[in-house]
Amino acid sequence: MTNIIQIEGLKGHTIKVLNDEAERNHVSRNALLQIIIENFATNLEQANATEILLEPLQDVTKQLNTLTHVTTESQHAISHDLTALKNSIEQLIKYMYDDTIG
């Protein structure tokens, strides 16, 4: 069984380009059109696959951005706590060795 697609409405220039390309590649115009259409269909499938994969990748990127933000905030809080701890230790040492206090 032969699959047939009839194309109407092509411009004369388009037909000339197709004829020239088919002749240059030593194939029939039908074979050239088959190659073009099959390549187009393959590209569509790949584009759809890319689109399907894009959403999960965007989700992963969003999660990584959230993780980075939370990590940065956590590091800032730890830095603040360590500074407060350092100041407290310095104050304790000062009280331990300063005879004028107390």
Side-chain angles (χ1 to χ4, degrees):
M1 183 173 152
T2 304
N3 294 328
I4 298 174
I5 296 178
Q6 184 175 350
I7 301 174
E8 296 179 6
L10 291 177
K11 295 179 182 175
H13 175 72
T14 303
I15 293 171
K16 180 184 180 322
V17 169
L18 290 172
N19 286 338
D20 291 347
E21 189 64 19
E23 185 178 327
R24 188 173 72 81
N25 288 289
H26 307 291
V27 296
S28 69
R29 184 173 60 190
N30 187 65
L32 178 65
L33 289 171
Q34 261 184 289
I35 293 167
I36 292 170
I37 292 169
E38 286 175 1
N39 189 36
F40 177 76
T42 301
N43 288 342
L44 279 178
E45 288 176 341
Q46 290 173 349
N48 287 338
T50 300
E51 189 174 314
I52 289 168
L53 291 174
L54 187 59
E55 188 174 329
L57 289 174
Q58 288 173 336
D59 287 345
V60 169
T61 301
K62 184 179 177 182
Q63 290 173 7
L64 287 173
N65 287 340
T66 301
L67 180 60
T68 300
H69 178 71
V70 168
T71 302
T72 301
E73 285 184 351
S74 177
Q75 288 173 342
H76 178 72
I78 289 169
S79 174
H80 179 72
D81 291 347
L82 288 174
T83 301
L85 181 61
K86 177 184 111 9
N87 291 340
S88 295
I89 291 171
E90 287 175 349
Q91 200 65 19
L92 281 172
I93 292 172
K94 180 179 176 183
Y95 287 135
M96 285 175 54
Y97 294 104
D98 191 349
D99 293 334
T100 61
I101 299 177

